[in-house]
Amino acid sequence: MSKKKQPGTLIIIGGGERKDDQRRVLAEVAKHAGTGKLVVATVATENPDETWEEYRQIFKELGVRRLEHLDVRFREQAKSEDRVKAMAGASVVFFTGGDQLKITSQLGDSPVYQTLEEIYAHGGTIAGTSAGASVMSETMLIAGDGEKSHQVGQLLGMAPGLGLIHNMVIDQHFAERGRLGRLLGAVAQNPRQIGIGLDENTAIVVHDQESFDVVGAGAVYVIDGSTSSYSNLGEREQEREKTMSLFDVKLHVLSEGNRFNLRDRRPEIPPRPEEKAGKPVAEKVA
Amino acid sequence: MSKKKQPGTLIIIGGGERKDDQRRVLAEVAKHAGTGKLVVATVATENPDETWEEYRQIFKELGVRRLEHLDVRFREQAKSEDRVKAMAGASVVFFTGGDQLKITSQLGDSPVYQTLEEIYAHGGTIAGTSAGASVMSETMLIAGDGEKSHQVGQLLGMAPGLGLIHNMVIDQHFAERGRLGRLLGAVAQNPRQIGIGLDENTAIVVHDQESFDVVGAGAVYVIDGSTSSYSNLGEREQEREKTMSLFDVKLHVLSEGNRFNLRDRRPEIPPRPEEKAGKPVAEKVA
C-alpha cells in the first residue's frame, strides 16, 4: 500500500488546556469546526459522561453549533453503526485525555477508526489533548519516568499509536513533568522520529503533515536527533544501568506564532518587530 | 588585570551525591585530597555542625587523613586569622550545599576567599555540591522555577558567583527538578556562557578550565547557544508574558566516562567497545 498524501489538519495539545476565558487552545479547535460538526471522543477517559458534558458546554460557548459525543467503552461499540454514524461527516474529532491505550485498543482497525481516517484524508481536523495527543503518532509513549535522565538499558513504555502523523514522537506536560530525558531516549532509539515536547495549555496545528504552527501559552520543544554524532544506546548489553549519552542533538524552543517546517526540519525565523510594523529596517546613524 | 591561567581542578556536583557504599562522587573528591588536607566548608548550610560531622565521617572512611572544618557563620569570621589558617595549604576545599548567597556574601573578597583563590591557582582542587556547585561560576543562578518554560519578561534570579570558572552557567538537580527551561533562559541571555545541567549524584571534574570529565550515576546536559539562529528575548518590552523562543541550540547529553572540551565546545567521541577491547574493528563477513 502506498502512503497517500494526508490533506487534513491535526491539533495536538500538551494537556492542561485552559477551560476559562483564557481558553485560546480550545478556541483554535472550535475555529476548525466552523459550521460543521465537532465530535468529542471520550474513549480515553474513565469518566466519559462528565468529560463530554464539560467539553460540550465549552465548545457551545465557543460557538460550535453541531456537537456529538463519541462514547466508546468497549471495543464492540467501535464496530457499531450508531457510533460510526455519530462520527461520520465531522469537521473536527476531538480526543480527550485519559489513557492512550484505551483509544488504540478500542478503536484500532475498527469501523470507527476507518471513519476517522476518512475524515482526516478528506481535509478534516483531528484534535487531541494529553493521551489524545500522544496517540496521533505511529509509535506513542505510554509510560516512563519524568524527572530522570534516560538509561541505556531502560525500556520506554511504547505502543503503536493511531499513525495519523509520521516520523514524530510526541510527549505532553513537557516542562511541567520534566520529560526531557524520556523524550531524548525516544529520539535516540530512532532519530528518524523528530521529538515534540508540548507544554500544558499549548498546541501544535499540523498542516498536511508538512508544517506546524504553535498556539497557546507554553513552549513546544523540538528535538532533532538527525544531527547526532554519538549515542551509547547500542552498548546496552554491557551496562544496563548506564546513563545514556547523546551528542550533537539540535534543540528548538518554539512559542505561540512560531512555525516549524517538518519537511526540512527547520523553524521559520519570524520577521523582526520593525519589519512587522512596516518601519524601514535600516537605523539612523547619529 | 589580565586573566591568569588557572591550573587547578574543579569538581562540580549536582547535589544529592550518595553517601552510602555507592558514593563514587565523594570518592572522587577524596581521591583529589591524596595525602593532603581536605577542608569541608559549611558556609552555605543552616546546620554547619551536623553537616561537618557527616562529611568528616565519610571522608575519613574514604581514607582522607587530614580533615579540617571551615565554619563561617558571619562575614567577620571570613576575615579572621584562624579561618585563613584552617584553609591554607589545603589540597581540596569542599563546599557543602545550602544557600549559595551565604557563600558569596560571607566569603566574597575576604582573606578566606583570597586563600581559596591561591589554592586553586597553585593546582589545588575546589569542589562543591548543589549550592557549592552553582557558586563556582561568574554569574550564578539563585532562584527560578523548575518545571516551567522560560518567559521573555521573566527575571532569572542571578547573582555574582565566586568566578572560579569562566563562560559557564551551572544548574544542579537538573533532571530531578525539570530545570531545562531555566537553564535555556540563562543561556539565551548570553550565549557566551555554556549551560551545564547536572543531575543529582553526578559531577564534572574540570581540568585547567579546558575540559571536563563526567563522574557519577546521572547525566550532564551541555547547552550550547552559540549556534542559535533566533531568540525573542530582545522583544520583551512588547509582551512580558510571552514564552521564550530559541532556535538551533546544540544539546549534548554526557554520562560517566565522557569528556567535554570547553575550548572548542566539543564532546570527545568515545572509542567503540571493540576498539576498547583491542579487537579488530572489521567484522567477519559470513
Side-chain angles (χ1 to χ4, degrees):
Chain A
M1 240 172 40
S2 71
K3 251 183 229 169
K4 59 183 167 196
K5 185 164 152 57
Q6 299 280 17
T9 301
L10 300 173
I11 304 177
I12 310 177
I13 308 166
E17 71 281 0
R18 286 178 70 161
K19 297 182 175 76
D20 58 6
D21 58 344
Q22 300 288 313
R23 54 194 174 198
R24 59 198 197 221
V25 171
L26 290 177
E28 182 72 24
V29 176
K31 199 180 82 185
H32 279 75
T35 57
K37 180 165 80 174
L38 190 156
V39 175
V40 177
T42 57
V43 192
T45 177
E46 296 273 346
N47 307 301
D49 293 324
E50 294 89 318
T51 306
W52 154 242
E53 198 39 56
E54 186 183 24
Y55 281 110
R56 194 190 64 79
Q57 189 58 37
I58 292 168
F59 284 125
K60 205 177 133 193
E61 285 170 26
L62 287 167
V64 180
R65 270 178 292 174
R66 295 176 58 199
L67 279 156
E68 195 86 53
H69 183 195
L70 179 77
D71 184 7
V72 173
R73 305 182 192 201
F74 317 100
R75 183 160 169 84
E76 214 43 42
Q77 295 174 322
K79 301 178 178 176
S80 78
E81 212 167 304
D82 60 322
R83 299 304 198 279
V84 170
K85 223 166 149 186
M87 186 171 263
S91 298
V92 177
V93 180
F94 174 77
F95 285 92
T96 69
D99 175 359
Q100 43 265 60
L101 267 183
K102 282 196 180 174
I103 302 177
T104 55
S105 61
Q106 285 171 29
L107 301 191
D109 207 39
S110 69
V112 159
Y113 176 70
Q114 283 146 19
T115 311
L116 182 81
E117 269 199 315
E118 272 163 37
I119 291 166
Y120 183 49
H122 289 86
T125 297
I126 315 299
T129 185
S130 194
S134 358
V135 90
M136 304 274 187
S137 57
E138 291 164 335
T139 309
M140 62 184 182
L141 283 161
I142 54 170
D145 293 341
E147 298 174 1
K148 210 168 166 301
S149 292
H150 190 66
Q151 295 187 325
V152 294
Q154 188 183 340
L155 294 176
L156 284 166
M158 297 191 97
L162 292 181
L164 296 173
I165 185 146
H166 308 295
N167 299 327
M168 184 185 284
V169 58
I170 298 156
D171 213 345
Q172 344 86 9
H173 309 282
F174 190 73
E176 292 80 7
R177 299 191 188 168
R179 284 180 164 174
L180 173 66
R182 149 173 155 166
L183 188 56
L184 281 168
V187 168
Q189 286 187 344
N190 192 342
R192 169 174 74 80
Q193 298 187 105
I194 200 159
I196 303 288
L198 296 161
D199 282 357
E200 292 181 0
N201 194 29
T202 310
I204 58 172
V205 182
V206 186
H207 317 284
D208 304 343
Q209 311 251 339
E210 300 208 333
S211 66
F212 66 75
D213 291 301
V214 177
V215 175
V220 173
Y221 295 80
V222 179
I223 295 177
D224 182 357
S226 64
T227 53
S228 88
S229 59
Y230 170 77
S231 132
N232 62 351
L233 266 199
E235 298 161 28
R236 67 206 193 89
E237 288 78 14
Q238 299 174 26
E239 296 173 81
R240 300 191 66 79
E241 295 195 356
K242 177 104 178 76
T243 290
M244 181 182 74
S245 298
L246 184 62
F247 300 170
D248 288 299
V249 170
K250 199 173 275 182
L251 171 67
H252 307 285
V253 188
L254 280 70
S255 63
E256 190 164 64
N258 291 154
R259 170 171 287 199
F260 191 84
N261 190 316
L262 288 164
R263 293 217 157 202
D264 56 9
R265 295 190 166 196
R266 294 292 314 150
E268 283 183 17
I269 309 283
R272 294 190 225 164
E274 59 266 42
E275 288 172 349
K276 267 191 272 183
K279 284 186 220 155
V281 173
E283 279 170 37
K284 245 194 241 176
V285 178
Chain B
M1 239 173 40
S2 72
K3 252 183 229 170
K4 58 182 166 197
K5 184 163 152 58
Q6 298 280 16
T9 302
L10 300 172
I11 304 178
I12 310 177
I13 308 166
E17 71 281 357
R18 286 178 71 162
K19 297 182 176 74
D20 58 6
D21 58 343
Q22 300 288 312
R23 53 195 174 193
R24 58 199 199 222
V25 171
L26 291 178
E28 181 72 24
V29 176
K31 200 180 81 187
H32 279 74
T35 57
K37 180 165 81 173
L38 190 156
V39 174
V40 178
T42 57
V43 192
T45 177
E46 296 273 348
N47 306 302
D49 293 323
E50 295 90 316
T51 305
W52 155 241
E53 198 38 58
E54 187 183 22
Y55 280 109
R56 193 189 64 78
Q57 189 57 38
I58 292 168
F59 284 124
K60 203 177 135 196
E61 285 170 26
L62 287 167
V64 181
R65 270 178 289 174
R66 295 176 58 199
L67 279 155
E68 195 84 54
H69 183 197
L70 180 77
D71 184 8
V72 173
R73 305 181 192 203
F74 318 100
R75 185 163 167 82
E76 213 43 41
Q77 296 174 322
K79 301 178 178 177
S80 78
E81 214 168 302
D82 61 322
R83 299 303 198 278
V84 170
K85 223 167 149 187
M87 186 172 264
S91 297
V92 176
V93 180
F94 174 77
F95 285 92
T96 69
D99 176 358
Q100 43 264 61
L101 266 183
K102 282 197 181 174
I103 303 177
T104 55
S105 61
Q106 285 171 27
L107 300 193
D109 207 38
S110 68
V112 160
Y113 177 68
Q114 283 146 20
T115 312
L116 183 81
E117 268 198 316
E118 274 163 37
I119 291 167
Y120 184 48
H122 289 85
T125 297
I126 315 299
T129 185
S130 195
S134 0
V135 90
M136 304 274 188
S137 57
E138 291 164 336
T139 309
M140 62 184 183
L141 283 161
I142 54 170
D145 293 340
E147 298 174 0
K148 211 168 163 299
S149 292
H150 189 66
Q151 295 188 325
V152 294
Q154 188 184 339
L155 294 177
L156 284 166
M158 297 191 99
L162 292 182
L164 296 173
I165 185 146
H166 307 295
N167 298 327
M168 184 186 283
V169 58
I170 298 157
D171 213 345
Q172 345 85 6
H173 309 283
F174 191 73
E176 292 80 6
R177 300 191 188 168
R179 284 179 164 175
L180 174 66
R182 149 173 155 166
L183 189 56
L184 281 168
V187 168
Q189 286 186 346
N190 191 341
R192 169 174 75 80
Q193 297 187 105
I194 200 159
I196 303 288
L198 295 162
D199 283 357
E200 292 180 1
N201 195 28
T202 309
I204 58 172
V205 182
V206 187
H207 316 285
D208 304 343
Q209 309 251 339
E210 298 209 334
S211 66
F212 66 75
D213 290 302
V214 177
V215 175
V220 173
Y221 295 79
V222 179
I223 295 177
D224 182 358
S226 66
T227 52
S228 89
S229 59
Y230 170 78
S231 134
N232 63 351
L233 267 199
E235 298 162 28
R236 69 208 194 89
E237 288 79 14
Q238 300 173 24
E239 294 173 81
R240 300 192 64 80
E241 295 196 355
K242 177 102 178 76
T243 290
M244 181 182 75
S245 298
L246 184 63
F247 300 170
D248 288 300
V249 170
K250 199 174 278 181
L251 172 68
H252 308 285
V253 188
L254 279 70
S255 63
E256 190 164 63
N258 291 155
R259 169 170 287 198
F260 191 84
N261 189 315
L262 288 163
R263 292 215 159 204
D264 56 9
R265 295 192 166 194
R266 294 292 313 152
E268 282 182 19
I269 310 283
R272 293 189 227 164
E274 58 269 39
E275 288 172 351
K276 265 191 274 184
K279 283 186 220 156
V281 173
E283 278 170 36
K284 246 194 239 175
V285 178

